[in-house]
Amino acid sequence: MTNSPTRPYRAPDGVELAYREIGAGRPLVLVHGFTSNGAQWIEHGPAPALAAHGFRVILPDLRGHGESPRPHDPAGYPPDVLADDTLALIDHLGLDDYDLGGYSLGGRVVLRMLTRGAAPTRAIVAGQGLDAITRQTTRTGMYRRVLTAMLDDSVDPESPDAMSAYWIKQLGNDPQALLRVLDSNVATPLVDVRKVPTPVLVTVGDEDHTHAGADELAAELPNARFARIPGDHYTAFIAPEFAELLLDFLRDGG
C-alpha cells in the first residue's frame, strides 16, 4: 500500500472525504475509476512519473471508495454527487490554474465537472467512451448484476462474473456502497459535451473494446485530441505509454 497518507476535506453535504497528494509543482487532480481508489494512481498508474516531472498530483478517494466514507443510505448518494465532491475538493484547495483528469468512471466525473463549470487549463478523459457519457449504459449493468449477487452470496463460481466479484472483493470494496454510487450517475447530454471549451485529451486502450466509443467522444468535443495506447481497460492504465502520453499533453499546453 502507498505510504502517502490521506487528508480530509468536507463535501457540500458535510461528509468528510479523503484525498492524498504526491509531488510538488503544477496542480493536477486525477479521479480514479469504479471499484478503485486514489492510491491506485500511485501504485499502478502514472502518478509517480507525473510527480517526478513537476506536478503536484492530487488524488481523491471518491465517495463509496477507498478511505472515504461508504454510507449505505441512498440519501448519501444524490445525483451527480461524485462531481459535487470533486468540485468541492478543488474549492477546498483553492485551485485556480490546474489540470484535471480521470480514468473510466473518473473520466465520466471529469466530463460532468467540465459541463458544470470546472475550468481546468487542460483535461484528460481516459478509458471512457461517448455511450457511457451520454447514457446510463455499457458496464453499469454488469456491475449491478455482480454487486447484487455478492450481496446475496449468489455469485456463480463458474460464471465470468466470479472473476469480477473476486477483484471487487480483493480491492476491499463494499458492494452496497458501490450500488449506491451507480445510482448517483448522471448522463451528460450530447449538446453539453459539444459546449466544453477546455482542451481535452481523450485516450483509450487499443484492446478496450467496451469503451470503443472514445474516438466518438473526442469527435464531439470542440477542442479534443484522441490517442490510443496499448492494452485493454485494465492494462492500458499501467502501460508506460499512458504516462508518456499524459506528460506530452500536459507539457505542450494541450
Side-chain angles (χ1 to χ4, degrees), residues 125-142:
V125 175
Q128 190 58 273
L130 183 66
D131 194 49
I133 295 293
T134 59
R135 293 187 290 278
Q136 312 260 354
T137 55
T138 66
R139 294 176 63 82
T140 298
M142 181 279 289

Side-chain angles (χ1 to χ4, degrees), residues 13-92:
D13 61 358
V15 173
E16 190 172 274
L17 301 172
Y19 74 100
R20 53 176 53 83
E21 295 187 16
I22 64 168
R26 179 173 178 78
L28 169 62
V29 180
L30 293 177
V31 187
H32 64 76
F34 191 62
T35 77
S36 187
N37 55 64
Q40 294 298 309
W41 285 100
I42 303 173
E43 295 175 355
H44 304 294
L50 293 164
H53 285 83
F55 287 90
R56 172 192 174 194
V57 187
I58 300 160
L59 306 164
D61 279 358
L62 294 174
R63 184 179 301 230
H65 295 78
E67 296 187 33
S68 284
R70 307 175 183 192
H72 288 183
D73 186 346
Y77 301 88
D80 234 8
V81 69
L82 303 183
D84 286 337
D85 289 346
T86 313
L87 287 166
L89 175 59
I90 289 169
D91 184 62
H92 168 78

Side-chain angles (χ1 to χ4, degrees), residues 135-155:
R135 293 187 290 278
Q136 312 260 354
T137 55
T138 66
R139 294 176 63 82
T140 298
M142 181 279 289
Y143 275 125
R144 192 175 295 279
R145 181 181 69 247
V146 172
L147 293 166
T148 300
M150 291 176 71
L151 287 172
D152 297 339
D153 197 24
S154 60
V155 178

Side-chain angles (χ1 to χ4, degrees), residues 125-191:
V125 175
Q128 190 58 273
L130 183 66
D131 194 49
I133 295 293
T134 59
R135 293 187 290 278
Q136 312 260 354
T137 55
T138 66
R139 294 176 63 82
T140 298
M142 181 279 289
Y143 275 125
R144 192 175 295 279
R145 181 181 69 247
V146 172
L147 293 166
T148 300
M150 291 176 71
L151 287 172
D152 297 339
D153 197 24
S154 60
V155 178
D156 181 355
E158 302 301 320
S159 73
D161 288 352
M163 183 58 70
S164 297
Y166 170 80
W167 283 112
I168 290 171
K169 185 175 180 181
Q170 281 294 107
L171 288 169
N173 286 294
D174 180 329
Q176 184 65 71
L178 291 180
L179 281 171
R180 301 300 186 208
V181 170
L182 290 178
D183 292 337
S184 76
N185 282 344
V186 172
T188 299
L190 192 56
V191 63

